[in-house]
Amino acid sequence: MTQIPKESISLETLAPRTYLDRTKGNRPLSTPIIRGAIFAAPSSQEHARLYQSNAETFYHRFGHPGENELAKKVAALEDAESAIVFASGMATISTTLMAHLASGSHVISGDQIFAQTQELLEWLSNGRGVRVDFVDMRELDLVKAKMRSDTRIIYIETPSNPKLRITDIAAIAALAKEHGAMVVVDSTFATPMAQQPLKLGASIVLHSATKFIAGHMDVMGGVVAGPRRLIEPVYRMKRLLGGILDPQAAWLILRGIKTLHVRAQHIFSTALQLARYLESAPAVRRVYYPHLESHGEFQVASRQMLAGGGVVSFTLNGDIDVHRAFLDALQLVQIATSLGGVETVIEMPYDLDWYGLEAAPGQVFERTLIRLSVGLEHPQELIDDIEQALRSAVDRAVDAPGARE
Ligand SMILES: *Cc1c(COP(=O)(O)O)cnc(C)c1O
């Protein structure tokens, strides 16, 4: 029996399938968890062959069946030749950067990206031979002006965390190609269900699987996908840095990914409803959501994303205390970090990951910015909760001493 060509299968059908290749016969409909970290070989000759072929049944740091099953699934969802998985999003990002950068390399990075990615790039550029320019990726001319003969990587995060800025992946990819640079895209906020960067010309796509891909706030992981020639060096570096995914974690992420399509569909639809509601609420000052017409990069977002994602960021009219009072008054929505889970959570990013970070130019976002990660609850019940909390926060602000002065 021949394998169904991948291009003919929708993501909807790919996501829940345990084995993409059905030619291998009688296997459980859930990938077995193999705990044994070290495998015995029948002969020393075979032992040598297993090592030399990077077999998944040799030593867990070099790969194991759970990791490989997950990697295959992500490669299929991103329409990539190859993928590797890691213990976390940051293990993915650090290993990928270390694999592709050398002393003297130049990186152009978005100036509003995940805090720890920014910190890592700053660390690499701090006496470690890598030069990094943080640039507003929405301004193609700025990016073009920074390109140099030694520019190795253009690093973009779209939508960006937490400001939901959108970078035009195809435009950056065209620019990079002219100069022989790689484009690495952190697509965590979009998921493969909303955006497939490789199809837009990106060299490598990566995700924190901790977020939407696993989706249940009970496991951490990361994935990187792309052509074999760019993923192979990352595999070699992973063997050195050792950020492997535990078999139990790989299983949980595989379990989560089976419902990625339906979760994404529901969450993205609710997020758009909440974004529209927030935009209409008088207590709200600004809403950031890629598929709102008011978003600065709405045109690009509509072109490259099938949906706006599951995160909505916004600010309220009033000072920091009003914002805190709003969060504290929520009853259904929980105050917690991270995003992409089945439960709706909210946080104020400036207090957290970005706390105390030396800001790159343009990195700074509103001290009061609120980041809402939408879950699977009933959309109207979420709106009701937000509405009562807004009312309560506004009332408190009005009652506060000095509020009327
Ligand atoms: C959370 C996050 C990361 C880091 O992932 P971890 O799994 O927490 O290591 C990287 N990029 C983005 C956009 C994120 O939101």
Side-chain angles (χ1 to χ4, degrees), residues 88-91 93 114 117 157 161 186 188-189 208-211 220-221 339:
S88 68
M90 282 318 297
I93 294 166
F114 180 60
T117 307
E157 187 178 294
N161 182 358
D186 183 336
T188 299
F189 272 45
S208 163
T210 310
K211 317 293 169 55
M220 305 198 92
L339 53 108

Side-chain angles (χ1 to χ4, degrees), residues 3 6 20 28 33 35 52 107 122 129 147 160-161 213 275 296 300 303-304 307 322 329 331 361 385:
Q3 202 179 337
K6 206 170 58 185
L20 304 175
I33 299 174
R35 280 250 60 110
Q52 288 160 18
V107 178
E122 281 172 357
M147 292 295 298
S160 75
N161 182 358
I213 286 182
V300 180
R303 201 165 60 233
Q304 76 184 15
V322 172
Q331 288 165 12
D385 189 33

Side-chain angles (χ1 to χ4, degrees), residues 50-238:
L50 288 170
Y51 176 83
Q52 288 160 18
S53 64
N54 299 325
E56 61 180 19
T57 49
F58 181 80
Y59 185 68
H60 268 190
R61 181 158 47 78
F62 302 161
H64 57 76
E67 272 197 339
N68 288 357
E69 207 58 47
L70 178 58
K72 268 189 265 175
K73 176 63 69 75
V74 172
L77 294 179
E78 288 289 4
D79 206 7
E81 197 179 13
S82 176
I84 320 180
V85 304
F86 291 87
S88 68
M90 282 318 297
T92 312
I93 294 166
S94 55
T95 308
T96 302
L97 289 177
M98 305 245 183
H100 285 285
L101 294 175
S103 179
S105 297
H106 177 235
V107 178
I108 302 177
S109 166
D111 63 354
Q112 202 291 277
I113 55 172
F114 180 60
Q116 274 110 56
T117 307
Q118 181 193 330
E119 212 176 326
L120 176 67
L121 286 167
E122 281 172 357
W123 183 85
L124 284 168
S125 67
N126 186 10
R128 290 173 184 89
V130 175
R131 276 164 299 174
V132 183
D133 280 310
F134 293 98
V135 176
D136 186 340
M137 287 285 165
R138 298 170 300 180
E139 306 286 342
L140 270 185
D141 287 343
L142 286 183
V143 183
K144 205 178 282 183
K146 292 288 183 195
M147 292 295 298
R148 297 169 3 181
S149 57
D150 56 3
T151 303
R152 185 89 183 94
I153 289 179
I154 304 186
Y155 187 92
I156 59 190
E157 187 178 294
T158 182
S160 75
N161 182 358
K163 198 77 195 255
L164 300 164
R165 279 199 199 158
I166 301 297
T167 299
D168 187 336
I169 298 170
I172 295 285
L175 184 63
K177 201 169 170 192
E178 269 174 49
H179 291 80
M182 282 169 58
V183 176
V184 177
V185 178
D186 183 336
S187 192
T188 299
F189 272 45
T191 83
M193 299 304 168
Q195 163 178 296
Q196 290 175 300
L198 298 177
K199 285 191 175 158
L200 298 168
S203 318
I204 284 183
V205 57
L206 54 84
H207 296 266
S208 163
T210 310
K211 317 293 169 55
F212 294 98
I213 286 182
H216 293 73
M217 307 284 199
D218 53 9
V219 62
M220 305 198 92
V223 297
V224 59
R228 193 159 285 125
R229 80 189 156 80
L230 295 180
I231 297 303
E232 175 64 23
V234 184
Y235 171 73
R236 303 302 304 181
M237 187 53 68
K238 182 186 169 190

Side-chain angles (χ1 to χ4, degrees), residues 3 14-22 24 27-34 56 63-77 83-85 223 238 245 247 250-251 253-255 257-258:
Q3 202 179 337
L14 274 175
R17 287 181 71 98
T18 304
Y19 302 106
L20 304 175
D21 178 1
R22 53 184 291 225
K24 292 196 182 144
R27 296 195 287 176
L29 272 175
S30 148
T31 312
I33 299 174
I34 298 172
E56 61 180 19
H64 57 76
E67 272 197 339
N68 288 357
E69 207 58 47
L70 178 58
K72 268 189 265 175
K73 176 63 69 75
V74 172
L77 294 179
I84 320 180
V85 304
V223 297
K238 182 186 169 190
L245 191 61
W251 190 92
I253 298 172
L254 274 167
R255 157 78 89 104
I257 225 170
K258 286 172 193 272

